[in-house]
Amino acid sequence: MMSALFDGVSHESVFTPLLFSAVFIYFLAGVIKGMLGIGFPTAAVSLLAQLVDARTAILLVVIPMLVTNAWQVWRNRQVRWVFRNYWRLLVMKLLFIAVFSQLAGLVPVAALTGGLGLIVAVYSLTSLYLPVLNIPDRHDNVSQLIAGTSAGIMGGITGVWAPPMLIYLRARGIGKEAFVATTGVLLCLGSLVLFTGYVSAGLIVGPVLVMSCLLLPPSLLGFSAGEQIRRRLSPERFGRLLLWFFLIMGLNLIRRALFEG
């Protein structure tokens, strides 16, 4: 399992130059999370996957993602409201994350890299250029089931499940504070199920566990910095720049899958 996990990445490289790069990457991902309430795994995985294989990048993000989302939930404290309004989405997402996280180790690294890049690129493009959908109340139940299922399948395999969830929430037109509270709960519980699934599948072991824990402090520091920045900058302007950044990262991951796989 360990040899498959670190294909092309020696243990020494994981704990030396990669660690320093990862600290900066996770600090930046934390800043993004603190500013927008979302984007931590997408930023961390997309950037780190430029340096290591996609599977390693996905596994390393789980513990920092779990803790930063738990922090976000604690600061907003609207868990009951989120459960009451979005329990269908939550149940479907958690169910499919639990199932597909068991299959993550069976997916070839090149396919994982390309799939992750395609997800990030398509989400960025649609968010930049397509009008926001509008889901009326009468279609909300079905929309939650669709969004939860697609997010769970995507998240179980790649560790990134935000795109379907964010498309749904934007289409429902919820306010800023409700958005932050909802994403915090959905992401936190999803992170917990994903972590449990990866442990059960034997993927969270040894160097992965140690390095993931080492990346927690810069993630939390970045989160705190992002909260301070959010009070001074326009989230809309930053969010658009972020989408362009994700698009470039996604296209580069697709390139790696095609030419290095």
Side-chain angles (χ1 to χ4, degrees), residues 178-243:
F179 178 86
V180 173
T182 302
T183 54
V185 173
L186 295 176
L187 293 172
C188 180
L189 292 177
S191 302
L192 181 60
V193 173
L194 185 66
F195 175 76
T196 303
Y198 281 176
V199 170
S200 175
L203 296 175
I204 305 293
V205 291
V208 171
L209 180 62
V210 172
M211 187 169 178
S212 190
C213 290
L214 290 174
L215 293 173
L216 182 56
S219 303
L220 295 175
L221 287 173
F223 186 95
S224 297
E227 287 186 316
Q228 297 299 318
I229 297 172
R230 185 171 61 193
R231 299 187 178 98
R232 301 186 179 122
L233 296 179
S234 165
E236 292 79 13
R237 179 177 297 177
F238 182 82
R240 192 165 182 84
L241 293 174
L242 183 64
L243 288 171

Side-chain angles (χ1 to χ4, degrees), residues 38 86 89 118-128 130-136 140 143-144 146-148 150-151 154 161-174 179 182-183 186-187 243:
I38 58 172
Y86 301 107
L89 189 156
L118 184 62
I119 289 168
V120 173
V122 169
Y123 172 67
S124 301
L125 281 172
T126 55
S127 298
L128 283 166
L130 292 182
V132 177
L133 299 174
N134 180 25
I135 299 175
D140 185 52
S143 299
Q144 285 196 37
I146 295 172
S150 54
M154 182 186 303
W161 55 73
M165 189 178 71
L166 298 184
I167 291 171
Y168 163 78
L169 292 176
R170 290 180 69 202
R172 290 294 290 160
I174 67 174
F179 178 86
T182 302
T183 54
L186 295 176
L187 293 172
L243 288 171

Side-chain angles (χ1 to χ4, degrees), residues 34-49:
M35 290 184 66
L36 303 178
I38 58 172
F40 183 87
T42 308
V45 173
S46 298
L47 284 169
L48 198 60

Side-chain angles (χ1 to χ4, degrees), residues 24-137:
F24 174 76
I25 288 171
Y26 273 66
F27 176 81
L28 178 60
V31 170
I32 293 169
K33 174 72 170 174
M35 290 184 66
L36 303 178
I38 58 172
F40 183 87
T42 308
V45 173
S46 298
L47 284 169
L48 198 60
Q50 315 300 319
L51 307 177
V52 299
D53 65 87
R55 181 172 296 132
T56 301
I58 290 167
L59 295 176
L60 289 175
V61 80
V62 176
I63 292 177
M65 178 171 60
L66 174 61
V67 175
T68 54
N69 284 318
W71 190 357
Q72 183 172 329
V73 171
W74 181 81
R75 291 177 71 85
N76 286 276
R77 305 186 186 186
Q78 297 187 41
V79 176
R80 185 176 300 176
W81 180 86
V82 173
F83 271 102
R84 185 170 63 249
N85 288 278
Y86 301 107
W87 66 268
R88 297 171 185 85
L89 189 156
L90 181 60
V91 168
M92 297 304 292
K93 189 187 77 168
L94 297 183
L95 174 63
F96 279 91
I97 286 177
V99 172
F100 279 85
S101 63
Q102 302 300 306
L103 306 176
L106 304 177
V107 181
V109 172
L112 197 60
T113 302
L116 179 61
L118 184 62
I119 289 168
V120 173
V122 169
Y123 172 67
S124 301
L125 281 172
T126 55
S127 298
L128 283 166
Y129 293 110
L130 292 182
V132 177
L133 299 174
N134 180 25
I135 299 175
D137 291 342

Side-chain angles (χ1 to χ4, degrees), residues 2 5-14 18 51-53 56:
M2 288 305 296
L5 177 62
F6 287 101
D7 285 342
V9 182
S10 69
H11 290 185
E12 290 78 7
S13 68
V14 167
L18 175 59
L51 307 177
V52 299
D53 65 87
T56 301

